[in-house]
Amino acid sequence: MLVLEPIHVTLLLFSVLAFLLKCESVALSNSNPVLSPMGTARVSRAAVAQIRSTSDKLSNLINIAKCAGWAKHAGADMLFLPECFGFMGDNASHTLEEADPAIFLCEQEPKHDELLPNPFRQTVSDVIISHANGTPFEIPKIDNTQRLPSIVRGLQFIARESGMWISGGGVHTRVPKSSSSTDHQKIYNTHVIIDDRGKVKRYYHKIHLFDVSIPNKVNLMESKTTEPGTTLEVCDSPVGKLGLSICYDMRFSEMYVDLVKMGAQILLAPSAFTVPTGKAHWHTLLRARAIESQCYMIAAAQVGKHNEKRESYGHSLVYDPWGELLADAGGYDSVGTAGDSAIPGDDDSPVRVPSIVVCEIDLDKIDTVRERMPIHEHRAKSTYAL
């Protein structure tokens, strides 16, 4: 009869325990992801696009289809696009002429795909499949005299074909006649969230308009053509609850305090930042908003020369709730975290476009940061003498 010494018994027990823990680990890794109460995975993947839009809507949307395919290949749960993703006008009147129809929430799947040019639909489908599979595909030239019914309709088609939620970071939409606005000749700068079935889940009209003049550098007066929005918006998504904003909004920290009060976990600041202001303030502002809000900050960006009058700084990026830089697609003063993959650019861009950067979003990290430094509780208790 075999008699085991105490030391052997102890070693045997440790071996059995290690085996059981390994089995449990394998079972968990093969199970569904841990979900938050709203049904969102606690850990997800975000793909952030960097593009150089022009006035050619069809080409812009084909580039977005490439990004959707790459995002799918990378296992991303959602794709984030910059401001003016579908159209960058040559001047204010051009932007007004080419604005999309007024936008409304759509809880039903969009129909009437036949309104989109057939060559566009076929090319988008082929581009998404080829880029998702990592296979070469020669994109046929599409006759750009074939007009789209709207940029948003094209984006809905891309979302449905790719099975990807998409944040369309800024598209110019007409002010509806039912609006209380006194100037229906103006447009909204609209951030739209579209789900994987092509439904418009939420939209936000930019509140803070960019009226800035820097002698010999920048002269942009957004308020000449654009009506300011009046309502803050949050939206549930596969990566967490999104707080919507656009570009110049990022300079108004109180807006993000209110978005956090509304439950935002991930702040979005899609942009077409000018090069001078980008070099001075882009990273600083976005990191500050992430730290003080204790949220993820995702800022998809335009980069390069759009036309003779306009160029953008670039640096699509993601900061975590502690202010750590997780991803940076590069721009006019560095290649960011993208490294050598961002080189070479062409004559109109300092880095490769279109491109995406991908990173993990861990909602537990938000909880950890807020528990260790409960600034939102402290802010609520603060009183000031004026």
Side-chain angles (χ1 to χ4, degrees):
M1 177 173 157
L2 179 63
V3 178
L4 296 177
E5 296 291 332
I7 185 64
H8 295 145
V9 174
T10 302
L11 290 172
L12 180 60
L13 288 173
F14 273 119
S15 299
V16 171
L17 181 60
F19 175 76
L20 291 174
L21 288 173
K22 184 176 181 181
C23 291
E24 182 181 10
S25 174
V26 170
L28 286 172
S29 67
N30 291 329
S31 64
N32 292 327
V34 178
L35 301 179
S36 68
M38 71 178 72
T40 301
R42 298 299 294 177
V43 178
S44 58
R45 287 172 69 76
V48 188
Q50 182 152 277
I51 57 179
R52 182 179 60 83
S53 297
T54 66
S55 59
D56 186 339
K57 295 180 183 179
L58 289 172
S59 293
N60 295 337
L61 287 170
I62 294 300
N63 282 333
I64 290 165
K66 291 180 185 179
C67 293
W70 288 326
K72 199 170 181 65
H73 181 75
D77 298 283
M78 188 164 181
L79 173 65
F80 297 86
L81 303 175
E83 183 183 23
C84 303
F85 63 88
F87 179 80
M88 184 73 77
D90 297 330
N91 51 53
S93 60
H94 194 199
T95 300
L96 285 170
E97 289 167 11
E98 294 293 333
D100 260 31
I103 192 169
F104 301 95
L105 292 183
C106 172
E107 284 304 321
Q108 296 182 350
E109 291 183 48
K111 298 178 181 177
H112 308 300
D113 280 348
E114 65 273 11
L115 296 176
L116 296 168
N118 186 59
F120 169 79
R121 283 183 281 143
Q122 187 60 55
T123 301
V124 163
S125 297
D126 292 342
V127 165
I128 290 171
I129 291 170
S130 66
H131 286 69
N133 293 334
T135 54
F137 173 69
E138 178 136 6
I139 300 173
K141 184 166 181 59
I142 300 177
D143 180 5
N144 60 13
T145 61
Q146 299 186 61
R147 294 182 63 82
L148 292 168
S150 76
I151 292 169
V152 170
R153 181 63 65 86
L155 193 65
Q156 288 176 287
F157 183 75
I158 292 171
R160 193 163 70 256
E161 285 294 296
S162 63
M164 181 79 58
W165 278 63
I166 299 179
S167 157
V171 58
H172 292 106
T173 59
R174 302 196 183 281
V175 175
K177 289 187 169 50
S178 59
S179 166
S180 59
S181 170
T182 57
D183 191 347
H184 292 283
Q185 299 305 310
K186 287 190 173 183
I187 53 181
Y188 286 124
N189 190 348
T190 304
H191 185 166
V192 59
I193 304 296
I194 298 174
D195 74 6
D196 54 355
R197 299 171 71 180
K199 295 186 290 186
V200 175
K201 302 297 288 183
R202 189 72 62 204
Y203 60 84
Y204 158 76
H205 298 315
K206 185 180 181 184
I207 292 173
H208 303 99
L209 303 182
F210 187 68
D211 287 357
V212 173
S213 180
I214 303 174
N216 302 318
K217 290 185 178 181
V218 177
N219 184 27
L220 289 171
M221 299 297 290
E222 192 174 15
S223 64
K224 284 186 176 180
T225 58
T226 307
E227 183 82 359
T230 57
T231 307
L232 296 180
E233 298 289 349
V234 295
C235 180
D236 288 333
S237 80
V239 299
K241 181 161 282 193
L242 310 172
L244 277 57
S245 69
I246 301 176
C247 200
Y248 190 55
D249 285 330
M250 73 177 69
R251 292 183 181 272
F252 301 87
S253 59
E254 62 276 12
M255 173 176 174
Y256 298 93
V257 171
D258 288 334
L259 286 170
V260 172
K261 288 178 182 177
M262 295 168 70
Q265 299 165 304
I266 300 158
L267 303 174
L268 306 183
S271 300
F273 235 61
T274 67
V275 175
T277 55
K279 288 180 176 179
H281 298 149
W282 175 254
H283 290 84
T284 303
L285 284 168
L286 292 168
R287 188 176 185 220
R289 297 296 85 85
I291 293 169
E292 68 196 9
S293 301
Q294 298 178 317
C295 289
Y296 283 89
M297 169 57 82
I298 298 179
Q302 294 276 355
V303 68
K305 189 173 183 179
H306 309 286
N307 52 49
E308 291 305 314
K309 297 180 179 178
R310 185 90 182 260
E311 62 182 340
S312 297
Y313 176 64
H315 290 280
S316 288
L317 55 75
V318 182
Y319 282 107
D320 76 5
W322 192 243
E324 294 291 331
L325 181 64
L326 301 183
D328 182 337
Y332 268 99
D333 45 17
S334 76
V335 294
T337 62
D340 291 343
S341 66
I343 302 173
D346 58 30
D347 291 341
D348 292 324
S349 175
V351 289
R352 189 185 301 277
V353 286
S355 68
I356 65 168
V357 287
V358 181
C359 68
E360 274 194 355
I361 302 295
D362 184 352
L363 299 183
D364 288 334
K365 189 163 191 176
I366 299 173
D367 297 340
T368 299
V369 169
R370 291 181 181 180
E371 285 169 8
R372 293 180 178 177
M373 192 174 291
I375 61 174
H376 304 294
E377 293 176 24
H378 297 161
R379 180 182 287 116
K381 295 175 183 176
S382 299
T383 57
Y384 304 96
L386 298 177

